Amino acid sequence: MSAEYTVKYYTHNTYDESVREAFFSFLIIPCQDETQTVRSLSFENSLQAEVFHHHNPFGFEVTSLRTAQNFTEFEFQMTATVEKSPVYLPTGSRLLSVEEEQSLLARHDFYIDHHLYLATSPYTQIKDELYGRLLFRKENQPVFDYLLQLNTFIYQMLRFDPEPTHVHTTVSEVIELGRGVCQDYTHLFIGVARLNKIPCRYISGYLNQGLSLSGTAVMHAWAEAYIPGHGWQGFDPTNNLLADINYIKAAHGADYSDCSPIRGMLRTNGAHRTSYGVEIIPNQMAESAQ
């Protein structure tokens, strides 16, 4: 059964010195795919600057604005209405046998097609000496069964804690810490899946706030792994869940560096502070339908 949400993203920046020129880019719009449709979209900003749109290298819509007026404070808000349709799990006759999965994952043309999501990166590369702490796929274990096990393994391996990590924390540092936020859980899931030759990508988006789950107060991160015979399936190791109708995707990439929600270039001499948050509101029509 479908559901509909109002998604609000807002940010508030303050600057110690006057900003003389600025350029901001936001990768925050819910994307259109086979499980979600954007019904409405609007933007507001305190500078009254005109916004314009373009696509990033992965095809996701980026919202940008530029201003040459002086300011010391900047507020920005996006409001979107999104309809989500059911997400079908990789079960039943659509799945391949273990032998067929192994054959596909070992093919050279498959690697070429998915190399971006099989290669390591500074965020997802795991030191060799940490391999003994990880969960590897057993011989003849189906890919989906293994990834379900990995999702639970990482959920139990880490403790959700926003204090010790930041946007530049690597997955090896997270393993040593044993703590982190959704970005860290996701990079660890991606790093281990790729060690097992399974294509895996980073997802940035929103999570229904009515479920009392970790990561709902801000933009959430989870992973999508490629299941042979099925396609991409979302896994949320932060909450030990599969991505379903409560997950609203904005963008994907190889890791966080492809999905940063906000980027900017400023002409100013002072420091700045940024605060942001999200609201995910189930619409009344969706609630009554459920």
Side-chain angles (χ1 to χ4, degrees):
M1 185 173 292
S2 298
E4 188 176 274
Y5 301 96
T6 295
V7 179
K8 294 184 178 181
Y9 169 97
Y10 54 89
T11 184
H12 182 196
N13 299 357
T14 56
Y15 303 89
D16 290 345
E17 303 288 339
S18 180
V19 177
R20 302 182 295 279
E21 185 175 5
F23 178 85
F24 295 102
S25 286
F26 298 90
L27 185 58
I28 55 174
I29 300 175
C31 70
Q32 303 260 18
D33 63 20
E34 63 275 11
T35 69
Q36 59 186 47
T37 303
V38 179
R39 297 299 185 193
S40 67
L41 186 63
S42 62
F43 304 91
E44 298 176 39
N45 69 85
S46 58
L47 303 177
Q48 307 302 317
E50 183 177 359
V51 299
F52 58 97
H53 301 275
H54 55 96
H55 291 90
N56 74 358
F58 296 87
F60 295 100
E61 191 168 2
V62 179
T63 303
S64 297
L65 63 88
R66 175 188 173 277
T67 180
Q69 62 179 290
N70 288 359
F71 64 93
T72 57
E73 191 171 354
F74 172 66
E75 293 181 88
F76 178 90
Q77 178 171 305
M78 178 210 70
T79 304
T81 303
V82 185
E83 181 178 339
K84 286 285 298 188
S85 55
V87 178
Y88 297 101
L89 298 178
T91 57
S93 59
R94 296 177 62 187
L95 289 179
L96 304 181
S97 67
V98 174
E99 292 75 17
E100 290 171 323
E101 287 185 335
Q102 297 282 52
S103 175
L104 181 64
L105 295 177
R107 283 171 48 176
H108 184 65
D109 58 343
F110 181 84
Y111 177 83
I112 296 297
D113 290 342
H114 299 90
H115 70 281
L116 186 61
Y117 307 117
L118 285 165
T120 56
S121 68
Y123 275 115
T124 61
Q125 186 168 16
I126 301 173
K127 295 178 180 176
D128 295 357
E129 57 265 33
L130 297 174
Y131 285 7
R133 301 191 193 184
L134 307 178
L135 179 71
F136 285 88
R137 185 159 69 108
K138 299 181 180 70
E139 187 176 358
N140 297 324
Q141 183 177 18
V143 169
F144 183 53
D145 286 356
Y146 165 69
L147 292 170
L148 284 173
Q149 191 179 2
L150 179 62
N151 209 35
T152 302
F153 178 83
I154 293 174
Y155 171 74
Q156 295 173 338
M157 182 179 183
L158 303 181
R159 178 162 60 86
F160 191 87
D161 184 352
E163 292 299 326
T165 62
H166 48 76
V167 294
H168 301 298
T169 302
T170 67
V171 69
S172 291
E173 293 170 332
V174 171
I175 294 172
E176 297 283 9
L177 287 166
R179 295 175 290 165
V181 295
C182 55
Q183 174 183 320
D184 306 311
Y185 283 74
T186 301
H187 280 150
L188 179 53
F189 185 97
I190 292 171
V192 179
R194 291 178 185 174
L195 283 176
N196 285 272
K197 313 300 183 187
I198 301 169
C200 197
R201 60 195 187 192
Y202 186 99
I203 309 300
S204 175
Y206 306 90
L207 179 56
N208 183 358
Q209 294 175 319
L211 304 176
S212 300
L213 299 174
S214 297
T216 59
V218 294
M219 288 194 77
H220 191 49
W222 63 96
E224 282 183 348
Y226 189 87
I227 313 296
H230 173 78
W232 295 99
Q233 169 65 47
F235 295 84
D236 180 6
T238 308
N239 294 294
N240 194 23
L241 293 172
L242 295 175
D244 59 12
I245 203 167
N246 295 294
Y247 290 73
I248 303 163
K249 178 176 175 178
H252 70 239
D255 58 29
Y256 171 79
S257 63
D258 295 324
C259 301
S260 176
I262 180 172
R263 299 177 190 271
M265 291 184 289
L266 307 171
R267 290 185 63 192
T268 184
N269 297 322
H272 73 277
R273 289 161 295 281
T274 299
S275 61
Y276 76 100
V278 302
E279 291 181 48
I280 315 299
I281 306 165
N283 290 346
Q284 292 300 318
M285 184 174 64
E287 291 183 337
S288 61
Q290 294 174 347

